[in-house]
Amino acid sequence: MTVLVFGGSSQIGHYLLPLLAARDEPVVAVSREARASIPGVTWLSGQLPDAVPAVEHVSAIFSLGPLQACARWLSKAAVLHEPRVVAISSMSAESKRASEVPAERALSQLLRDSEVALAEACAKHGSAWTVLRPTLVYGAGLDKSLTPIARRAMRLRVFPLPMGHGMRQPVHAQDLACAALAALDTSIAAGKILAIGGGERLTAGEMFARVRHSLPIQTLPLPLPPWLLRAARRGVGKLRGPLSRLEADLIADNTEMTRLLGVQPRPFRPDAECWRRRPG
C-alpha cells in the first residue's frame, strides 16, 4: 500500500515526508515541478485537481496544500481501498469570518466550503478523514508571514515593531507534521476538524520582538506608534487586514487535539534557522 502526499514541498511536508519515509509503506509525493526521489519517497510530476498521475493501492492521502483543489480531485478520482485522509486547512476559516476586508471574508468561506467538500468526497469513497486547522505556521523558512518580515529586517538592518496586544499562538511546522501523522493512526480523530496552535500564547508585539531577537544579526528596533498604524490601515489597502487584527486574538484551543492525538506543541522560541529556507 502507498501513502500519497500533496503539498510535500511545503513547510509541513519538509518535516512530514521524513517521518513517513521511516515507516513501512512507500510514499509518493506529487509536485508541479520534477524533483529527485529520495529513499522512501518517490516524487511524481502532477498538479491538482486535473493533472494528478495515477497511483495504485493508496492507503492514505495527505493534503498539505490548497484544500479546495484536493477536494475537487478526490470527488472525481477512482480511489480504491478507502484511504485514510488527513488534510490541512487554516484557523483563518474562523478568524477571518468577520473580517472588515471582503477578500478575507471570502477566504474564510472558501476554507469552510472546502472542508465540507472534502468530507463529502471522503464519504463517497468510504474514507475516514481528519482536518487540522493550524494558527500561524513557521519553522522552515517557507511561510509567508513571519519569514518575509525576518528576511526584510536582516536585509535593511531595521525591524519595525507594531505594538499589537492581540494574542498570537504560532505553531511550528514540525509539530503540525507530528499531529498530521498522529491523525493518520488515530481512529477516534476521524470526522473531526481540530484546531492546533503553538504551546504558548503571547501578544502580537511580543511575537515580533522574539522574531527580532532570533535573528543572527543586529537590527535597529523601530517601534510603530498606534497613530501611524491607524494611518497605514486607512491609506494602504493591503495592510488593512493585517493591521486590523493586531488587537484581535488569533489563537486555538488545543484541548481536543491534544486529547485525541497526544501532541503537545512547543512554545514560541524561534531561532535563526526558522527563517532559513529549507529545500522542499
Side-chain angles (χ1 to χ4, degrees):
M1 302 298 287
T2 299
V3 177
L4 180 61
V5 180
F6 297 108
S9 59
S10 68
Q11 55 185 335
I12 303 167
H14 172 78
Y15 293 103
L16 180 61
L17 288 181
L19 296 176
L20 291 172
R23 295 160 64 101
D24 292 334
E25 292 179 304
V27 180
V28 172
V30 177
S31 175
R32 284 176 292 183
E33 299 177 3
R35 296 174 183 268
S37 296
I38 59 176
V41 179
T42 299
W43 284 93
L44 297 180
S45 179
Q47 185 173 352
L48 288 168
D50 301 320
V52 177
V55 179
E56 296 183 346
H57 308 300
V58 175
S59 62
I61 299 170
F62 285 90
S63 171
L64 311 179
L67 188 55
Q68 180 189 40
C70 183
R72 287 178 57 192
W73 167 77
L74 188 58
S75 69
K76 299 181 293 184
V79 178
L80 304 177
H81 310 298
E82 301 178 356
R84 182 76 165 86
V85 177
V86 179
I88 304 298
S89 182
S90 170
M91 279 299 293
S92 292
E94 289 299 328
S95 64
K96 294 181 179 179
R97 185 192 285 257
S99 171
E100 64 183 60
V101 180
E104 293 185 345
R105 294 197 302 273
L107 172 62
S108 172
Q109 186 65 58
L110 175 63
L111 288 167
R112 286 179 277 121
D113 289 345
S114 298
E115 292 169 354
V116 171
L118 181 78
E120 291 175 347
C122 287
K124 174 183 176 181
H125 296 292
S127 294
W129 58 269
T130 301
V131 170
L132 299 177
R133 281 182 176 176
T135 56
L136 186 156
V137 184
Y138 74 100
L142 296 170
D143 65 275
K144 297 180 180 180
S145 51
L146 295 180
T147 291
I149 293 172
R151 290 179 179 166
R152 188 181 305 113
M154 286 188 284
R155 186 172 67 252
L156 301 177
R157 302 297 180 101
V158 174
F159 200 112
L161 291 171
M163 295 294 104
H165 294 89
M167 301 304 293
R168 296 295 184 269
Q169 198 176 352
V171 58
H172 198 286
Q174 188 174 40
D175 295 332
L176 192 48
C178 290
L181 188 63
L184 174 66
D185 298 326
T186 307
S187 60
I188 57 175
K192 302 287 188 181
I193 298 177
L194 301 175
I196 175 170
E200 180 181 17
R201 294 177 180 179
L202 65 167
T203 66
E206 176 61 21
M207 179 184 71
F208 292 127
R210 291 192 192 180
V211 173
R212 175 177 173 262
H213 288 303
S214 74
L215 301 182
I217 64 173
Q218 290 293 320
T219 60
L220 177 67
L222 181 63
L224 302 178
W227 66 264
L228 182 59
L229 296 176
R230 288 193 296 269
R233 179 177 168 183
R234 291 192 300 267
V236 183
K238 67 179 180 179
L239 296 179
R240 184 180 171 193
L243 293 181
S244 70
R245 290 190 296 276
L246 282 175
E247 302 301 322
D249 294 341
L250 305 180
I251 55 179
D253 183 350
N254 285 342
T255 303
E256 187 176 20
M257 182 278 301
T258 297
R259 179 179 67 84
L260 294 177
L261 304 183
V263 174
Q264 294 279 0
R266 72 196 71 182
F268 187 58
R269 299 289 189 272
D271 58 24
E273 285 298 297
C274 290
W275 322 123
R276 183 177 64 83
R277 183 181 179 87
R278 317 293 173 85

